[in-house]
Amino acid sequence: MKAKIADRIATSVLYFIAVFIVAILAGLVGYILVKGLPHISWSFISSPPQTFKEGGGIGPQLFNSFYLLVLTMAISMPIALGAGIYMAEYARKNRLTDLLRTAIEVLSSLPSIVVGLFGFLFFVLSMGWGFSILSGAFALALFNLPLLVRVVEDSLRAISPAQREAGLALGVSRWETIQSVLLPAALPGIITGIILASGRVFGEAAALIYTAGMSSPNLDFSNWNPFSMNSPLNPLRPAETLAVHIWKINGEGLMPDAASVSSGASAVLILFVLIFNFSARFIGKWLHNRMTSQ
């Protein structure tokens, strides 16, 4: 009898904690959306910001955020894929693998501001790239690598050993088994992790203040020459992202309508992060059903 009562109390406490956490999250997201959605329009999303007058938008900042996201994932994904395959399929239990796992743990626990300061010292100053999209992308790649390596490794380890043995029993080499059997089976988990990591990168600000910068040149969206300073595709130009823009306008307070711009930009940021998270679940489930014929 006492055991049943204790079990019910413990279950009730756990349910209360779960509901409390969900309520806090829903309250924060709801507050941001309620404050920001009335300020969102096509003009707000597509027009450039204004400094000393009302009516500015977030067009260049939104483009910079997506461009930086694409470059970051293009840099980090091949490295994470190779490291995850090595850790899951080839690495033996020795000092080297222990050192690698420790390095991954340390890197994943670093605050983003520390990654940003390292990026400032190495990519901005030592490499001579200055405040640029390229500096920000490499800094965010370092910030994102531990998560992506874990995602790839865990997705491969979750596959049944029987699938590995079946491939090897057919006379297929180990790499061909990984390439033809394991990676397709692990793809739903890897894709889900990539999308979730993309949402994390999209909302990052601290690491970008010291690497990508807090300003953007006047972009000419008809100029797609990546070597032109005013081209949106130039990776060596400074780029203020949406998250940095929100921080900047609240810190400077120069805009007459800073509150409304900040609310609208925050709502746009939250909406895209929610889209990343919900699409990760949907795409992961769809790929799993497609590849398992369920």
Side-chain angles (χ1 to χ4, degrees), residues 21-75:
I21 293 173
V22 172
I24 292 175
L25 177 62
L28 289 172
V29 173
Y31 177 79
I32 294 172
L33 293 179
V34 168
K35 293 278 288 184
L37 286 178
H39 303 290
I40 297 177
S41 63
W42 175 248
S43 175
F44 179 76
I45 293 175
S46 60
S47 63
Q50 301 292 336
T51 303
F52 300 109
K53 61 181 181 179
E54 298 181 357
I58 56 171
Q61 285 73 22
L62 193 59
F63 176 84
N64 290 338
S65 296
F66 279 106
Y67 187 30
L68 191 62
L69 172 62
V70 170
L71 284 183
T72 299
M73 301 309 293
I75 294 168

Side-chain angles (χ1 to χ4, degrees), residues 16 51 64-65 95 108 131 139 141 146 172 242 275 281 291:
F16 173 78
T51 303
N64 290 338
S65 296
R95 291 183 179 180
S108 65
F131 291 107
V172 181
L242 187 58
I275 289 171
R281 295 177 61 86
M291 302 188 76

Side-chain angles (χ1 to χ4, degrees), residues 14 25 33 51 56 73 98 104 141 174 178 182 219 240 253 284:
L14 292 176
L25 177 62
L33 293 179
T51 303
M73 301 309 293
D98 290 341
I104 291 172
R174 191 171 188 178
I178 294 171
L182 300 185
L219 300 181
E240 181 187 43

Side-chain angles (χ1 to χ4, degrees), residues 7-283:
D7 179 70
R8 289 177 181 175
I9 292 174
T11 303
S12 300
V13 170
L14 292 176
Y15 274 115
F16 173 78
I17 293 173
V19 171
F20 180 69
I21 293 173
V22 172
I24 292 175
L25 177 62
L28 289 172
V29 173
Y31 177 79
I32 294 172
L33 293 179
V34 168
K35 293 278 288 184
L37 286 178
H39 303 290
I40 297 177
S41 63
W42 175 248
S43 175
F44 179 76
I45 293 175
S46 60
S47 63
Q50 301 292 336
T51 303
F52 300 109
K53 61 181 181 179
E54 298 181 357
I58 56 171
Q61 285 73 22
L62 193 59
F63 176 84
N64 290 338
S65 296
F66 279 106
Y67 187 30
L68 191 62
L69 172 62
V70 170
L71 284 183
T72 299
M73 301 309 293
I75 294 168
S76 57
M77 262 316 299
I79 301 173
L81 191 62
I85 291 173
Y86 171 77
M87 298 297 289
E89 302 297 326
Y90 291 98
R92 297 180 180 179
K93 183 68 175 177
N94 53 37
R95 291 183 179 180
L96 176 60
T97 55
D98 290 341
L99 179 62
L100 286 174
R101 293 186 187 281
T102 302
I104 291 172
E105 292 293 334
V106 171
L107 192 58
S108 65
S109 63
L110 287 177
S112 59
I113 191 71
V114 175
V115 177
L117 288 172
F118 169 79
F120 173 74
L121 293 173
F122 186 73
F123 299 121
V124 175
L125 297 181
S126 297
M127 297 295 292
W129 295 342
F131 291 107
S132 63
I133 293 178
L134 197 60
S135 297
F138 272 93
L140 287 184
L142 291 177
F143 180 68
N144 216 28
L145 270 176
L147 174 62
L148 291 175
V149 171
R150 284 179 177 175
V151 164
V152 175
E153 181 182 1
D154 292 343
S155 298
L156 289 172
R157 288 187 182 277
I159 300 173
S160 171
Q163 291 184 260
R164 294 175 174 82
E165 295 167 0
L168 296 174
L170 292 173
V172 181
S173 67
R174 191 171 188 178
W175 170 245
E176 289 176 327
T177 301
I178 294 171
Q179 187 178 5
S180 304
V181 178
L182 300 185
L183 282 179
L187 190 61
I190 294 174
I191 294 295
T192 300
I194 290 173
I195 298 174
L196 291 174
S198 299
R200 185 187 184 196
V201 169
F202 191 82
E204 180 56 42
L208 296 176
I209 293 173
Y210 298 100
T211 52
M214 295 186 292
S215 63
S216 293
N218 293 324
L219 300 181
D220 180 7
F221 284 92
S222 64
N223 179 12
W224 297 103
N225 178 11
F227 300 103
S228 175
M229 198 61 186
N230 292 329
S231 171
L233 297 183
N234 187 348
L236 294 177
R237 65 174 176 84
E240 181 187 43
T241 62
L242 187 58
V244 174
H245 184 61
I246 295 170
W247 176 86
K248 180 182 175 182
I249 59 179
N250 281 284
E252 293 181 346
L254 298 177
M255 293 182 182
D257 58 345
S260 60
V261 173
S262 174
S263 297
S266 300
V268 171
L269 183 63
I270 286 293
L271 285 174
F272 276 109
V273 171
L274 290 175
I275 289 171
F276 282 128
N277 282 270
F278 285 118
S279 63
R281 295 177 61 86
F282 174 78
I283 294 174

